[in-house]
Amino acid sequence: AFGTCHCTVFSVETLFPLCPNPANKMINKPLFLTYVYLFMYILLSSGVILYNKWVLSPKYFNFPLPITLTMIHMAFSGAVTFFLVRVFKIVSPVKMTFEIYATCVVPISAFFASSLWFGNTAYLHISVAFIQMLKALMPVATFLMAVLCGIDKARCDVFLNMLLVSVGVVISSYGEIHFNTVGTVYQVTGIFAEALRLVLTQVLLQKKGLTLNPITSLYYIAPCSFVFLFVPWYLLEKPVMEVSQIQFNFWIFFSNAICALALNFSIFLVIGRTGAVTIRVAGVLKDWILIALSTVIFPESTITGLNIIGYAIALCGVVMYNYIKVRDVRASQLPVETIPDRITKDWKFEKKSSDIYVPDNIGENEGSSGGNGTSSDMKIDEETPLISSSRLSHIGRTQLTNQYAIGK
């Protein structure tokens, strides 16, 4: 009767199995908002791409001036973000000196403007579906630029994934019925310009200790990109606008610019609500939806079986690459422990777990394993918000920047 006393911790569900847990209602609302933000991101990203194609295509709205369209986006985004940062003070500006602006913002803006210019020009020559298939080369371009700039190392497993992606894109290009060399060169050039911009953003801004969200990024980069685009616009498109009778509809371009800016804001919301894995899956889902929609909206976008096979092969390489990057970042954030410290920690945990029983749901909520597990078996939450977690923020930010909104 007076033996050892064993204490047991009961959860609310154990004591009152028929009573609903009020916390479930609190969990459902954030989860619902997460799905809403993801839906907005996929919808706006697909809508902006299809809208740009419709505006630029000679068969539809017939405004074949991609630099002009991109400059409209830059001017509108720069003006709106100026009011948000300086007038309404919704987002605080970062400490930006002239040295940082000249050495970081200016080169990043130059490659940002180039990627938008070349990417939008590709809409004049090739279909939206084929452009999305070519965008599977983005991890390849980013990896090559990172190796050349010395911020990443050449690895066999990553190289094999890049080779698989490249083979898939080549097969998809071979199966393209309306293959156009000029449009393909424009799109691939834009992809490598965007990859170099991503690498420069990591090399230059992170070394300065600066982090820019989509709003502050547009606040600093959009005006500078507008200046860079002015030179090719003056030489290439201004003479065409003087000779040709190009129709200009204010509401068309105003709504187009609003959609592009709204996409940036949706990216800002998605970064704060989801994890890197979810963002990457959403990007893949968006590509498939966009390819399907483009064939319906633009009948000339014919997809062949070889297109699908090639894109599926490239997609396998992209998925494996994403898995490797997520795994590497998680491994780099694991605490380094010596063997004696780990043995002592495991022994203390086992002794504690033998005296008290902790339900599995409490163990997960408190960040420790329940029952007889060790701390190394802790379930890692793949949906950790990127704003409050540093271990996945770079991956999520890089993936979203790959889908960057303006003009794409």
Side-chain angles (χ1 to χ4, degrees), residues 9-30:
V9 177
F10 295 96
S11 63
V12 176
E13 291 82 357
T14 305
L15 295 175
F16 305 99
L18 299 179
C19 296
N21 188 358
N24 292 335
K25 296 182 179 180
M26 300 299 294
I27 296 175
N28 290 336
K29 185 177 179 181

Side-chain angles (χ1 to χ4, degrees), residues 23 160 176 187 350 352 358:
L160 292 177
E176 178 67 17
Q187 181 60 38
E350 290 176 0
K352 180 180 179 181
V358 182

